[in-house]
Amino acid sequence: MPGTSKAEWMHIFADQESNELSVSQYCKLHGISDKAFYNAKSRYKWATEEPSLVAVEVNDDIGSSNTGCIRFEFNVSVPDKDIQRIIKICLSL
């Protein structure tokens, strides 16, 4: 659907999720190709996800040869983009 704005796609995603139709059924009913739906969903996926917080244990390696280094231990699997964001924040401190 060329010309469809991000806000319109977000409305479409929310509408599809709120009914009991599959993506294929929803797309057929609304004249949207499955490919366009999935491409837009992939493009705007970050906007549909809620930000998450993860527990992080921070230790300084005092007394080791790596004095001044910080070790992060994540209690859950964390996406690379979130790890990169954490590192950028730490470097800016």
Side-chain angles (χ1 to χ4, degrees):
M1 294 177 47
T4 304
S5 72
K6 177 181 173 182
E8 291 169 317
W9 277 114
M10 299 307 290
H11 175 75
I12 290 169
F13 302 147
D15 187 43
Q16 187 278 323
E17 289 177 7
S18 68
N19 67 56
E20 295 184 11
L21 298 174
S22 69
V23 170
S24 294
Q25 292 169 327
Y26 181 87
C27 289
K28 189 172 187 173
L29 182 65
H30 293 280
I32 304 169
S33 76
D34 289 10
K35 183 177 180 180
F37 182 93
Y38 286 114
N39 284 343
K41 185 94 172 188
S42 176
R43 186 178 318 122
Y44 301 124
K45 182 179 179 184
W46 64 269
T48 62
E49 297 176 347
E50 292 293 319
S52 61
L53 300 175
V54 294
V56 178
E57 180 182 330
V58 180
N59 299 309
D60 60 358
D61 292 326
I62 295 176
S64 73
S65 60
N66 294 325
T67 302
C69 294
I70 297 175
R71 182 181 69 221
F72 293 96
E73 294 181 17
F74 296 94
N75 299 332
V76 295
S77 176
V78 179
D80 288 345
K81 66 179 182 169
D82 291 340
I83 294 172
Q84 291 170 352
R85 189 177 317 133
I86 291 167
I87 292 170
K88 285 179 184 178
I89 291 169
C90 290
L91 291 173
S92 70
L93 298 175

